[in-house]
């Protein structure tokens, strides 16, 4: 039976406090809200598919993946690595809410600064479908469903606007600029509390502001919530962006994220109080964001994030995302993952059907078990540390010989074009008759420079051998997304080969 590998730091049920970050995985631009006693979390996913991951919690600390709002990135061939690529395009800060009146879940997001797409579903777990396209960009959108069921979207950068949607939420009725700032403000989240409307916005990447008005159209007054507040994660950036959420008992919390590269952007949580002026304030510890706080509600631990995924059933679990849209004709999930070569290339960044998994911080190890019997000459398959600077441990078939190899130096330019396909740092020819191999990558993704990943292999699943040297992870922010494990299989000569991945194990 498959164990879900879930992005949470599991705490014992009797723990009085939780520690930061509440999820040590790359889940940025979050939108968070509550339905009954259940909390939901929607995040950015850029060029990964399916997009806009959805997580669920009962205590705001322990979370699990339950699905994606965008089943496929249907905005051009480049999102499928056909005739181009869409690295760091796709899904940025978007918004998700449940509408009780028609029992529909809505996801709204602007794609490539041009059009806004609306996806709906009868359940957060799906099926989701594209319901509308609005011919304007609701940049960094925040959806509010008002007490009278009217749907509004706050959006923009520096010049902030509000749009009123049609009764079904699929068209724009009217819009108005409601605030002009002297500093960059974005990441809108829209709320109503005690008869007042709030637009929650960030000054990237070190401050948070709150706009307050008596009606959706303003006028809004502005107050700074925090700037350059001390981070609860050593070495990380400043908590910012994110959103507000209340508990059933009426307590309020702010879930922000911190820049935590090379691992990405990870969420942190703090209690909120409300002042006599109607503005929120963060409950600080020694003037900064607390490294721990009491649990918001009774702790409800979920499944552990570590364990073995055997790819049981006929579909992937929701913690998995492909690098761009996959070619469905070249992979199968059925008591294991079969990856048939889908691209002839020498460039991992151009190879279709690379399956990715977020790395669990502060450090963790991913191990795959892979059967090699059906590889064809020229095929390359393995396990990568995937980002704009990448490395991998894999198997290449040279004629009739199988060779385990550690390849480093894969790199992209700052326009995300490949500038290097890498070179072999170390390699070993496998004994004749080898049909299965275990490949392992271990990564330290604590924030800062000089963090490394190492690679190992085994021919029996028990005794592992180091291969190559430590790979230094890139901790710059421009790629936005953090490092991921990437499972790949591509051809350099001709299609027709395949590998079978029987398991992925995550340990930390």
């Amino acid at each position: 039976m498959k164990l879900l590998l879930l992005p949470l730091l599991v705490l014992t049920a009797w723990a009085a406090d939780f520690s930061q970050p509440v999820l040590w995985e790359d889940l940025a631009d979050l939108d968070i809200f509550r339905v009954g006693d259940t909390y939901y979390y929607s995040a950015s996913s850029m060029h990964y598919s399916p997009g806009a991951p959805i997580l669920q919690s009962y205590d705001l600390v322990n979370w699990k993946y339950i699905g994606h709002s965008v089943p496929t990135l249907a905005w051009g061939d480049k999102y499928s690595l056909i005739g181009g690529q869409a690295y760091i395009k796709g899904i940025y800060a978007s918004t998700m809410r449940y509408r009780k009146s028609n029992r529909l879940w809505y996801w709204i997001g602007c794609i490539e600064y041009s059009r806004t797409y609306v996806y709906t579903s009868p359940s957060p777990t799906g099926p989701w479908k594209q319901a509308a396209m609005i011919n304007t960009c609701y940049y960094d959108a925040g959806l509010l469903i008002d007490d009278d069921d009217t749907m509004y979207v706050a959006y923009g950068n520096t010049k902030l606007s509000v749009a009123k949607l049609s009764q079904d939420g699929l068209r724009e009725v009217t819009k108005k600029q409601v605030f002009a700032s002297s500093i960059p403000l974005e990441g809108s989240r829209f709320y109503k509390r005690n008869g007042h409307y709030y637009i929650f916005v960030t000054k990237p990447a070190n401050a948070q502001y709150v706009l307050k008005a008596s009606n959706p159209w303003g006028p809004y007054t502005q107050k700074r919530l925090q700037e350059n507040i001390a981070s609860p994660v050593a070495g990380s950036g400043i908590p910012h962006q994110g959103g507000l959420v209340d508990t059933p008992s009426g307590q309020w919390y702010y879930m922000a994220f911190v820049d935590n590269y090379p691992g990405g952007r990870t969420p942190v949580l703090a209690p909120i109080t409300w002042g006599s002026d109607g503005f929120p304030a963060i409950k600080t510890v020694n003037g900064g964001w607390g490294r721990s706080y009491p649990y918001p509600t009774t702790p409800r631990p979920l499944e552990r994030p570590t364990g073995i995924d055997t790819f049981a059933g006929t579909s992937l679990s929701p913690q998995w995302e492909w690098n761009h849209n996959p070619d469905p004709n070249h992979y199968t999930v059925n008591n294991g993952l079969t990856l048939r070569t889908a691209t002839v290339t020498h460039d991992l960044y151009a190879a279709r059907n690379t399956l990715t998994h977020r790395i669990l911080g502060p450090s963790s190890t991913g191990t795959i078990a892979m059967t090699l019997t059906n590889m064809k000459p020229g095929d390359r398959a393995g396990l990568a540390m995937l980002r704009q600077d990448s490395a991998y441990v894999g198997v290449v078939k040279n004629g009739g010989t199988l060779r385990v190899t550690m390849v480093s130096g894969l790199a992209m330019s700052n326009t995300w074009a490949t500038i290097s396909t890498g070179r072999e740092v170390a390699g070993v020819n496998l004994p004749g008759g080898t049909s299965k191999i275990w490949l392992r990558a271990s990564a330290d993704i604590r924030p800062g420079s000089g963090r490394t990943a190492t690679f190992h292999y085994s021919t029996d699943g028990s005794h592992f051998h180091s291969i190559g040297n430590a790979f230094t992870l890139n901790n710059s922010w421009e790629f936005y997304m953090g490092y991921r494990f990437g499972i790949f299989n591509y051809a350099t000569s001709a299609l027709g080969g395949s590998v079978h991945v029987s398991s992925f194990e995550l340990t930390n």
Side-chain angles (χ1 to χ4, degrees):
M1 181 175 180
K2 174 165 53 179
L3 294 177
L4 294 183
L5 310 178
L6 305 171
L8 59 126
L9 298 177
V10 177
L11 303 173
T12 55
W14 55 85
D17 294 344
F18 67 87
S19 298
Q20 311 280 11
V22 288
L23 298 111
W24 201 317
E25 290 200 35
D26 184 19
L27 289 159
D29 302 331
L30 61 105
D31 196 6
I32 188 169
F33 62 100
R34 177 177 62 85
V35 178
D37 65 351
T38 307
Y39 303 94
Y40 296 91
Y41 183 124
S42 177
S44 289
S45 51
M46 306 292 178
H47 51 275
Y48 292 107
S49 177
I54 306 166
L55 297 93
Q56 184 184 78
S57 174
Y58 300 101
D59 59 16
L60 288 173
V61 175
N62 298 300
W63 294 85
K64 67 176 181 178
Y65 286 113
I66 61 170
H68 291 81
S69 296
V70 181
T72 189
L73 312 184
W75 311 305
D77 285 347
K78 65 185 176 185
Y79 285 94
S80 299
L81 289 174
I82 298 174
Q85 44 85 1
Y87 286 104
I88 81 160
K89 296 180 173 63
I91 295 172
Y92 282 37
S94 53
T95 187
M96 177 185 167
R97 286 293 184 275
Y98 173 65
R99 193 181 191 195
K100 186 176 179 180
S101 63
N102 59 1
R103 298 181 180 178
L104 278 182
W105 300 75
Y106 287 77
W107 178 92
I108 299 175
C110 171
I111 304 302
E112 293 193 38
Y113 308 103
S114 58
R115 296 181 176 90
T116 297
Y117 292 82
V118 182
Y119 285 72
T120 60
S121 174
S123 166
T125 58
W128 287 86
K129 67 176 183 179
Q130 182 182 317
M133 188 273 290
I134 299 173
N135 199 28
T136 190
C137 177
Y138 294 159
Y139 175 80
D140 280 15
L143 175 61
L144 169 68
I145 302 173
D146 208 345
D147 300 335
D148 64 0
D149 205 40
T150 303
M151 299 177 71
Y152 297 98
V153 177
Y155 64 96
N157 179 300
T158 306
K159 295 180 179 179
L160 302 175
S161 298
V162 169
K164 178 182 177 181
L165 302 183
S166 57
Q167 191 279 330
D168 59 7
L170 305 181
R171 293 179 296 106
E172 180 181 277
V173 174
T174 187
K175 62 185 172 187
K176 177 186 175 182
Q177 181 181 316
V178 298
F179 192 81
S181 172
S182 61
I183 58 174
L185 293 177
E186 61 182 26
S188 294
R189 296 291 176 238
F190 207 5
Y191 305 99
K192 187 177 184 181
R193 177 183 179 273
N194 292 346
H196 288 95
Y197 295 82
Y198 296 87
I199 303 177
F200 203 56
V201 285
T202 189
K203 171 179 166 283
N206 69 332
Q208 195 73 21
Y209 285 77
V210 185
L211 310 179
K212 173 175 170 283
S214 60
N215 70 78
W217 309 108
Y220 282 87
T221 56
Q222 173 185 281
K223 186 173 182 179
R224 186 174 63 195
L225 178 69
Q226 62 86 5
E227 186 165 14
N228 294 325
I229 191 170
S231 174
V233 181
S236 78
I238 295 162
H240 68 288
Q241 206 161 329
L244 300 173
V245 65
D246 66 339
T247 68
S249 62
Q251 301 175 73
W252 285 81
Y253 286 81
Y254 173 24
M255 182 86 85
F257 66 77
V258 294
D259 290 354
N260 216 358
Y261 297 105
R265 294 173 288 177
T266 53
V268 292
L269 182 69
I272 286 289
T273 59
W274 295 87
S276 59
D277 60 359
F279 280 93
I282 299 170
K283 185 178 180 181
T284 59
V285 177
N286 297 322
W289 197 288
R291 296 194 176 197
S292 65
Y293 291 103
Y295 258 81
T297 63
T298 302
R300 289 185 61 178
L302 302 171
E303 299 93 335
R304 290 183 176 275
T306 53
I308 300 177
D309 190 338
T310 59
F311 303 100
T314 57
S315 61
L316 293 167
S317 297
Q319 72 271 18
W320 292 101
E321 293 166 0
W322 300 93
N323 176 19
H324 293 63
N325 292 325
D327 181 342
N329 296 315
H330 286 81
Y331 79 91
T332 305
V333 180
N334 187 0
N335 295 319
L337 169 68
T338 299
L339 291 176
R340 292 178 283 278
T341 53
T343 313
V344 178
T345 184
H346 289 275
D347 180 5
L348 176 61
Y349 294 122
R352 297 191 70 183
N353 290 18
T354 295
L355 185 62
T356 76
H357 192 291
R358 290 171 179 84
I359 299 171
L360 177 67
S363 63
S364 58
T365 295
T367 304
I368 62 171
M370 187 167 69
T371 300
L372 313 173
T373 309
N374 294 321
M375 291 185 74
K376 301 296 183 184
D379 288 0
R380 285 181 174 263
L383 180 64
M385 284 282 105
L386 189 64
R387 204 168 181 247
Q388 79 268 45
D389 291 326
S390 300
Y392 65 78
V393 58
V395 175
V396 57
K397 186 164 187 179
N398 295 319
T401 301
L402 292 171
R403 181 176 177 83
V404 60
T405 180
M406 187 262 176
V407 175
S408 188
L410 294 86
M412 289 180 170
S413 69
N414 58 9
T415 60
W416 318 122
T418 301
I419 57 176
S420 174
T421 57
R423 65 178 182 84
E424 181 177 278
V425 174
V428 179
N429 289 339
L430 293 171
T434 301
S435 60
K436 189 172 184 178
I437 196 167
W438 287 257
L439 302 175
R440 174 170 291 173
S442 300
D444 176 358
I445 59 168
R446 291 173 299 153
S449 61
R451 308 305 184 200
T452 61
T454 57
F455 299 94
H456 296 77
Y457 73 96
S458 172
T459 55
D460 62 8
S462 298
H463 302 91
F464 280 82
H465 309 282
S466 175
I467 185 168
N469 50 24
F471 169 63
T472 301
L473 304 175
N474 183 317
N475 73 319
S476 65
W477 62 267
E478 289 84 357
F479 195 75
Y480 292 115
M481 310 299 284
Y483 274 94
R484 294 189 179 200
F485 297 112
I487 306 173
F488 65 89
N489 182 32
Y490 64 90
T492 63
S493 299
L495 301 181
S498 67
V499 294
H500 181 80
V501 181
S502 55
S503 66
F504 171 84
E505 182 177 13
L506 183 66
T507 60
N508 77 325

